[in-house]
Amino acid sequence: MSGPVRAPAVLRAMAVLEQLEGASARHPLSLAALAARLGVPKSSLLSICNSLVDARLVRRTEGGYSLGHRVVELSSSYLQSLDEVHEFYSVCRALVPDPADTIHLASFAGPLDITYLARRDGSTMPVVSPIGRSLPASCSATGKSLLAQLSESELDARLGAVDRLPAVTENSITAPDELRRHLKIVRDNGFGVDDEETTPGLLCVGMAVPAARGAQWAVGITMLKARSGHEGLPAAVDVLRSVTSEMARRLGS
């Protein structure tokens, strides 16, 4: 039986959008650069870019292309459609009305990646995890808490062909065997810790939202290590237990 039919033009358009993820109005990506990255003729690529510009998914400037405003509108609509995002904000307002540290909601974005989908800023914590940012699950507190919920067979399927995990800082875990050992500690503790593994100077703790069919969401708290240190972890864990338990109750998990 043949697989599902796919439209090549749509796949190329998606490839263009992915390449423009790091571009901006000040630093756009030229047509020539896009063509070189994607390995397609400029003439073919131009028609795709023109269509994306017409749809406001891409913005064209003198220097090239960057993502357009329509991407933001679609992203906002997607986030507003998620019950988990709605309940995250509702629970945080009820249980943590004036957080000192930033609280964020993350979910798997791939087998070994997480993406931040919501954030409640703390009064003393600068924004370091913008909504939409993706990170390796292996070195983020929320990612570790989600990986720790997987069965051994599920974890094997995700790590099976991986020789080295991506490093974000010099403290990131890069060896799959070391990650497996670390996840056992996360399971025993009930929460994951990111000790300057994604951003120097920051200490993060994450906890999965309980779910009968397997956790897909996790809540994390990011702290300035110089201010809170490891002494601040117990209080953060207590907050996470309250938030994740209440989210699970409201979501019927």
Side-chain angles (χ1 to χ4, degrees):
M1 181 181 295
S2 60
V5 177
R6 293 179 173 84
V10 175
L11 296 178
R12 292 194 190 100
M14 284 301 303
V16 170
L17 294 175
E18 289 173 352
Q19 289 297 324
L20 292 177
E21 185 176 352
S24 66
R26 289 187 176 183
H27 302 285
L29 208 57
S30 69
L31 184 66
L34 273 172
R37 290 188 181 188
L38 296 173
V40 298
K42 288 194 293 183
S43 56
S44 301
L45 189 59
L46 180 59
S47 62
I48 294 174
C49 289
N50 286 340
S51 297
L52 291 172
V53 169
D54 290 343
R56 296 192 299 120
L57 291 168
V58 165
R59 178 170 46 176
R60 179 169 47 213
T61 62
E62 289 186 6
Y65 300 91
S66 60
L67 292 176
H69 294 110
R70 184 60 178 154
V71 174
V72 178
E73 295 169 1
L74 292 173
S75 299
S76 177
S77 296
Y78 167 68
L79 292 176
Q80 290 177 26
S81 72
L82 297 174
D83 291 340
E84 291 84 357
V85 171
H86 172 77
E87 294 300 347
F88 167 79
Y89 284 120
S90 178
V91 170
C92 283
R93 284 193 297 268
L95 300 183
V96 201
D98 297 301
D101 301 301
T102 297
I103 308 174
H104 50 261
L105 178 70
S107 180
F108 277 128
L112 293 172
D113 298 285
I114 57 99
T115 296
Y116 293 118
L117 296 177
R119 185 188 71 239
R120 186 166 176 81
D121 294 334
S123 58
T124 62
M125 184 65 230
V127 176
V128 294
S129 302
I131 294 173
R133 183 190 184 190
S134 293
L135 285 171
S138 53
C139 56
S140 63
T142 49
K144 292 176 187 177
S145 68
L146 288 172
L147 289 174
Q149 300 297 309
L150 300 175
S151 66
E152 288 298 327
S153 60
E154 290 173 320
L155 190 59
D156 287 342
R158 299 188 185 211
L159 289 175
V162 177
D163 294 323
R164 180 178 173 82
L165 296 161
V168 182
T169 73
E170 62 181 13
N171 296 317
S172 301
I173 295 174
T174 57
D177 287 343
E178 182 183 355
L179 176 63
R180 291 178 187 276
R181 291 191 294 270
H182 186 81
L183 291 179
K184 291 181 180 179
I185 299 174
V186 175
R187 291 189 194 99
D188 291 341
N189 292 339
F191 58 88
V193 175
D194 161 11
D195 191 351
E196 299 187 271
E197 293 176 58
T198 57
T199 306
L202 295 185
L203 181 65
C204 309
V205 58
M207 187 176 294
V209 178
R213 296 183 179 180
Q216 295 294 320
W217 299 82
V219 180
I221 294 179
T222 300
M223 303 171 282
L224 287 171
K225 188 174 180 179
R227 179 175 60 82
S228 300
H230 286 85
E231 295 78 10
L233 287 178
V237 169
D238 287 343
V239 170
L240 289 178
R241 285 201 181 100
S242 298
V243 171
T244 55
S245 296
E246 180 61 14
M247 283 187 63
R249 186 189 70 79
R250 295 189 184 193
L251 293 167
S253 300

